[in-house]
Amino acid sequence: MYRFESGDIRKIETDLIVVFMCSGMTGSPVKEIEKLAAKLDVFSEFSGKEGELLLYYRPERKWGKRILFAGLGDAGALTKEKLRKAAGKSVRKAISLKLQDILFVIPQTGTAGINSPAAAAAVVEGALLANHDFDLYKTAEKSNRIKSFGLYSKKSADSDVIEAVRKASVVCEGTILARRWVSMPSNDKRPDRFARSIVKAADNENITIVVLDERDLKKNKMNALLCVASGSDAGPKLVLMDYRPGRYEKTVVLVGKGVTFDSGGINLKSSEGLNGMKMDMAGAAAVASIIISAARINIRKRIIGVLPLVENMPSGKATRPGDIVFASNGKSIEIGNTDAEGRLILADAMCYARKRYKPDVMIDIATLTGACMVALGEKIAGLFTKDDALAKALLDSAAEVNERCWRMPMPDDYAEKLKSDVADIKNIGKGRWGGAITGALFLSEFAGDCTWAHLDIAGPAYTDSSSDYCTPGGTGFGVRLICDFLERI
Ligand code: BES
Ligand code: ZN
Ligand code: ZN
């Protein structure tokens, strides 16, 4: 898919050369480009501001077919995110022109404190992530895709650049895998099909996968999980993915909410509320993709994915509001609302994970509450943890990859809202307010004394609009974030 190039840039076969430029910079470390730009009088039309593009077709006799200048804004204020966006924008431009191959000139970013492996990786991330459209179900107009791209530097690329690019490309592939699962309609990813699709995707990796079915879940007394699945004809599954490298010091458990469709159950959602509820398995999609990516880049930690997969439907067999179930740890839960199903399946999944794997760290990723979207909007995930070091590591990763998270409070007294008159706990908080917090506090009852964090990704898991490197559909949110985190801790 990608290659490294060096030498005389004019002789390289490609459909499009992309040159990044900062505001007011007329020079280039590639002298041929500098001369060409002067001849074409590029800077009378192009200032290099962020988001700006200028395309030339057959710029000169000795040159290839096309050259695109892409603006990065002020050199001193350059960030990796600006590089991703400029690379993504260039790829979308190339896709619209139906081109096959692009050559990126790796920009010099030392003045902004970005080293060359990081700069090259950022360009690759923007390019690969932009090169995806969910067109699996279109029979007539398939979107064009870039087939291959090159990374050009004056001298041949150093090994640290090559390694950074390899990692970035694996993690972006993982992100796109998650996007595809999330964008897929619910009729093609009911728990059984989704589980098989995960098994297939992880097939060639050093990952042990076991899929527990309804009988196994009953044996394990996972009634909180089972009561969510009971309204659907599709049986529940619990997918266990175990990536275990030869040597490791830490065990990390990742739990992903996998509701393949959330109708709300007997507390049926409104027509508007039902829209988009195919994405309610985005946590599970992210976790499966993270484990596959982690295996491919040989992360030196044991990483376990625990994915409860269910469909939340109303029927004569469905759980009713007011029902009481006993979770696998023996706690009784009053079902206040069947639409607060995510925390029920996660409760049993987390109890199982803690007991079986005794992790050093556990993180759950879930499209848990609309309330979190009200608080933080569509682009920022809620981060809940009582552990400051874990919060810091996750926030550092979030800044690094620009998958934004905001730490939310978990005040003890709010847990009173979850009190039930008839059971140990209720699955909804009293009153309208603080729904994202009570959701997290409910989960904390099942995390025990484990070092644990909860990511509410209800907002950023899905997008209806295009941005520079993400088209409408699943966003794959969490994959780049957690892959970075796993390397960091
Ligand atoms: N899957 C939803 C949360 C959600 C809403 C995700 C919108 C993405 C977009 C979750 O299961 C849910 O329905 N939560 C309820 C909880 C309430 C009943 C306590 C909610 O947020 O309204
Ligand atoms: Zn729900
Ligand atoms: Zn849900």
XYZ file of all heavy atoms in Angstrom, residues 250 361 363 383 385 387-400 405 407 481-482 484-489:
224
model
N 2.432 -6.571 32.242
C 1.106 -6.095 32.642
C 0.005 -6.816 31.875
O 0.184 -7.181 30.706
C 0.987 -4.605 32.333
C 1.616 -3.751 33.391
C 1.216 -2.297 33.234
C 1.833 -1.489 34.351
N 2.275 -0.191 33.961
N -5.000 -3.320 34.823
C -5.836 -2.186 34.407
C -7.032 -2.721 33.636
O -6.893 -3.656 32.841
C -5.053 -1.232 33.457
C -5.932 -0.060 33.052
C -3.775 -0.741 34.088
N -10.293 -1.202 31.247
C -10.941 -0.029 30.638
C -12.170 -0.519 29.883
O -12.075 -1.490 29.111
C -9.988 0.685 29.652
C -8.729 1.170 30.385
C -10.687 1.876 28.985
C -7.648 1.701 29.468
N -14.427 10.712 30.047
C -13.499 9.792 30.714
C -13.817 9.781 32.201
O -13.831 10.839 32.847
C -12.055 10.249 30.473
C -10.978 9.667 31.402
C -10.879 8.152 31.230
C -9.628 10.307 31.121
N -12.756 7.977 35.803
C -11.908 7.082 36.580
C -11.564 7.772 37.894
O -11.514 9.009 37.948
C -10.615 6.688 35.838
O -9.829 5.847 36.684
C -9.783 7.912 35.432
N -8.728 6.967 39.304
C -7.277 6.818 39.336
C -6.609 7.940 38.528
O -6.716 7.980 37.299
C -6.918 5.439 38.761
C -5.462 5.106 38.978
O -4.601 5.751 38.319
O -5.170 4.224 39.784
N -5.895 8.840 39.223
C -5.312 10.006 38.550
C -4.241 9.628 37.526
O -4.138 10.249 36.472
C -4.703 10.966 39.582
C -5.777 11.638 40.426
O -6.956 11.656 39.993
O -5.448 12.131 41.527
N -3.446 8.616 37.858
C -2.368 8.222 36.929
C -2.966 7.651 35.642
O -2.496 7.951 34.535
C -1.450 7.195 37.591
N -4.008 6.856 35.800
C -4.664 6.278 34.617
C -5.319 7.384 33.794
O -5.227 7.396 32.557
C -5.704 5.243 35.074
C -6.483 4.504 33.990
C -5.556 3.828 32.993
C -7.429 3.472 34.619
N -5.945 8.344 34.471
C -6.561 9.474 33.759
C -5.505 10.232 32.968
O -5.701 10.555 31.791
C -7.249 10.408 34.750
N -4.361 10.473 33.609
C -3.311 11.236 32.931
C -2.822 10.507 31.682
O -2.681 11.101 30.618
C -2.148 11.513 33.891
C -1.066 12.336 33.213
C 0.077 12.724 34.111
C 1.059 13.659 33.402
N 1.490 13.225 32.070
N -2.564 9.204 31.837
C -2.061 8.433 30.690
C -3.067 8.465 29.542
O -2.690 8.649 28.374
C -1.770 6.995 31.114
N -4.346 8.317 29.855
C -5.358 8.321 28.792
C -5.499 9.709 28.164
O -5.633 9.828 26.941
C -6.704 7.841 29.347
C -6.795 6.315 29.543
C -7.972 5.941 30.438
C -6.902 5.581 28.204
N -5.427 10.745 28.992
C -5.545 12.109 28.444
C -4.321 12.465 27.598
O -4.435 13.155 26.587
C -5.750 13.130 29.573
C -7.108 13.035 30.285
C -7.149 13.944 31.515
C -8.266 13.375 29.346
N -3.143 11.986 28.007
C -1.939 12.212 27.193
C -2.095 11.547 25.822
O -1.777 12.133 24.791
C -0.694 11.651 27.894
C -0.249 12.543 29.059
O -0.788 13.664 29.191
O 0.621 12.108 29.844
N -2.584 10.315 25.827
C -2.802 9.618 24.550
C -3.849 10.331 23.715
O -3.718 10.448 22.493
C -3.249 8.178 24.786
O -2.186 7.427 25.317
N -4.900 10.797 24.370
C -5.982 11.485 23.656
C -5.435 12.709 22.923
O -5.772 12.961 21.765
C -7.076 11.889 24.634
N -4.544 13.458 23.604
C -3.964 14.649 22.982
C -3.043 14.250 21.828
O -3.035 14.880 20.772
C -3.186 15.448 24.024
N -2.307 13.201 22.031
C -1.350 12.718 21.035
C -2.031 12.348 19.711
O -1.563 12.681 18.640
C -0.657 11.478 21.631
C 0.554 10.986 20.923
C 1.743 11.924 21.067
O 1.767 12.740 22.011
O 2.627 11.842 20.203
N -10.791 13.463 24.827
C -11.505 12.965 26.001
C -11.522 14.070 27.038
O -10.598 14.884 27.105
C -10.764 11.774 26.612
S -10.650 10.361 25.512
N -12.130 14.569 31.258
C -12.354 13.835 32.498
C -13.594 14.350 33.218
O -13.748 15.553 33.424
C -11.139 13.943 33.418
C -11.277 13.019 34.613
C -10.000 12.915 35.388
N -10.152 12.040 36.537
C -9.254 11.912 37.487
N -8.124 12.598 37.414
N -9.468 11.091 38.494
N -6.484 5.883 20.075
C -6.298 6.304 21.469
C -5.733 5.176 22.329
O -4.711 5.335 23.011
C -7.657 6.760 22.027
C -7.782 6.984 23.526
C -7.023 8.232 23.946
C -9.244 7.119 23.948
N -6.393 4.032 22.316
C -5.978 2.953 23.217
C -4.690 2.283 22.726
O -3.875 1.839 23.535
C -7.124 1.933 23.434
C -8.359 2.634 24.022
C -6.682 0.786 24.344
C -8.188 3.211 25.420
N -2.200 3.838 21.398
C -1.168 4.730 21.917
C -0.994 4.516 23.425
O 0.129 4.395 23.926
C -1.554 6.190 21.633
C -0.450 7.159 22.034
O 0.416 7.433 21.196
O -0.436 7.622 23.202
N -2.106 4.431 24.124
C -2.088 4.234 25.584
C -1.362 2.935 25.954
O -0.555 2.897 26.895
C -3.532 4.217 26.094
C -3.695 3.680 27.480
C -3.455 4.477 28.589
C -4.089 2.358 27.685
C -3.610 3.978 29.876
C -4.244 1.850 28.962
C -3.991 2.651 30.063
N -1.626 1.866 25.210
C -1.031 0.559 25.537
C 0.485 0.582 25.393
O 1.199 -0.142 26.088
C -1.630 -0.533 24.649
C -3.088 -0.886 24.957
C -3.674 -1.764 23.857
C -3.220 -1.562 26.320
N 0.968 1.425 24.495
C 2.416 1.550 24.345
C 3.017 2.428 25.425
O 4.174 2.297 25.782
C 2.731 2.138 22.981
C 2.431 1.146 21.875
C 3.274 1.412 20.662
O 3.040 2.437 20.011
O 4.176 0.592 20.396
N 2.190 3.349 25.914
C 2.646 4.353 26.865
C 2.792 3.809 28.283
O 3.673 4.218 29.022
C 1.601 5.474 26.862
C 1.949 6.737 27.541
C 0.778 7.694 27.345
N 0.753 8.199 25.982
C 1.366 9.323 25.622
N 2.004 10.036 26.505
N 1.313 9.734 24.378
N 1.891 2.911 28.704
C 1.896 2.470 30.117
C 2.930 1.370 30.361
O 3.359 0.696 29.478
C 0.511 1.985 30.593
C -0.012 0.855 29.689
C -0.449 3.145 30.671
C -1.101 0.050 30.335
